[in-house]
Amino acid sequence: MSRRHIAPSAVVWLLVGGIYFMLPLVATFLFSIKDASTGKCCSLAAYDFILDDPQFWTTIKLSFRLALETIVIGLLLFVPTLYWVHLRLPRLRPVIGFIALVPFVIPPIILVVGLLEFFKDDLHAPFWFLGKPDLFLVGAYVILAFPYIYFSLDAGFRAIDVHTLTEASQSLGASWRTTLFRVILPNIRVAALAGAFLTLAIVMGEFTIASLATFHTFPTYIQYINETQAYPAAAVTLMSFAITWAAMLSLLLIGRRGGRRTVRLGVGR
Amino acid sequence: MVGAFQGASGGYTFHNVADIVRNESIRHAYQTSIEISLVTALLGGLLGFLIAYAAIRDGTPNWLRSAFGTFSGVAANFGGIPLAFAFIATLGTIGIVTQFLTNQLHWNPYFHGFTIFGKTGVELAYLYFQIPLMFLVIAPAIDGLRQEWSEASANLGASRLQFWRFVGLPVLLPSLLGAVILLFGNAFAAYATAYALTSGGVNLIPILIGADLSGNVYTNPHEGQALAFGMFVVLAAMMLFYIPLQRRATRWAR
């Protein structure tokens, strides 16, 4: 019963889906090149406005730095942990998998309530901790990124033979550190990169926690522009989409080279 | 970091939690939240399934399938502030589509009760990430519907409809239900999109929590925590359904 031609109903649904997905993107683009004074096509003034705004550069740099810090801390925490679990404690795997679901049950809006309550007095953390995005936000983002890094790495570790690699490297006289960095790490590089790109996309788009904890990151900057400048808002919206596209496409490209695909859920909203 | 998860259980009496049931506006917010999540989960689930099936079934060129798959991977991660603005630029009062309808067809949807800044708008915007998410979650399950099954049922004289009624749907049902539950939770927890779209004007639980935290509407600081606790209960209950369904769904996996 194999069909030679595309089914008519399939054409209808794919068209419906295609139009629904493309329309807001096209509309945002058309909106962004409108001239602010006349409302007519075409002007790049909106892009100039954003690129000339020093706020744009400080917030995007801050968000990017936070993303890098989250990635580094996340990988430092989870690569050795997962290595050890796969090597010595395979029975703990379902437990960690279950814990990894917790950030889905406790979304950012609930997480931020808990964080602000927990850190609101000197008892738990001094003010310098609460006031620093690199500490407060990165701490929260590591929690948010945990499931994504975990599921990427877990798939990576399952695809390699941890036991044989470890034994081979140790019988050749390698220390634990050498084994981890020169044997295991190169083998799960694709998985680690996948987790890193997902984390980048999440942190560059995370608004809830940043806004409610009153930090000025890239997403809160977009919101500020949204409220104040109509046409530049379209321009900065497209830039933000471009960042997500870049991160996710890099993920798909490296995934095609050998990693397996994992289900991805967005946290940015 | 462990302490972060304890926040919701710390330092409140039953009074705040009881308020969830007693307080009119809070009850209303839970209703709206659940309603929006249900509508977008069911609608997004249905459309996502139809689109995924259309993209995967026999006869659809391979490049279309991978194009939709790739786009879903990206679009499921759109959301938040940029998504909200994309919809304002499309269907807002001076949005491109609104302008087109008004100028070319002389039909302004805003004169007919439509607004992107309310509940319908939030639902429309949520569908933009719900449908791709459904695609991502359900595509492997549709892939798992083996060609032999439809051939076998055709050999035994079953019609297309009978195949779906007795083979296709029963096999897919756990995956479909699981996916819809996931979509429900996804919409239920969303904050940024609704906030940016309506400037906090829609009465949703996450919006109320946000208002409590930034302290510009309510005076009871513990109300936010009670609300968050209520959300947590709903989401935890959701997970209780999701995990066994997930287990069943993988039964036919290759």
Side-chain angles (χ1 to χ4, degrees), chain B residues 169-195:
Chain B
L169 274 185
V171 170
L172 281 184
L173 200 61
S175 314
L176 283 173
L177 278 178
V180 168
I181 292 179
L182 202 66
L183 259 58
F184 177 87
N186 197 31
F188 193 68
Y191 166 73
T193 314
Y195 175 80

Side-chain angles (χ1 to χ4, degrees), chain A residues 118-202:
Chain A
F118 187 70
F119 289 128
K120 73 174 178 192
D121 45 31
D122 290 347
L123 202 63
H124 299 300
F127 181 75
W128 55 261
F129 181 87
L130 198 55
K132 290 253 185 9
D134 296 78
L135 298 167
F136 184 85
L137 280 185
V138 167
Y141 290 166
V142 169
I143 300 178
L144 283 190
F146 170 42
Y148 300 91
I149 298 182
Y150 168 77
F151 287 117
S152 306
L153 286 180
D154 191 55
F157 272 111
R158 251 184 307 171
I160 63 172
D161 190 341
V162 181
H163 286 272
T164 313
L165 285 174
T166 309
E167 279 162 18
S169 118
Q170 290 194 326
S171 40
L172 291 171
S175 67
W176 279 113
R177 197 153 35 126
T178 320
T179 309
L180 191 59
F181 281 100
R182 301 198 46 191
V183 178
I184 299 297
L185 208 55
N187 274 298
I188 55 149
R189 199 183 60 226
V190 169
L193 272 176
F197 280 120
L198 275 174
T199 309
L200 181 73
I202 291 165

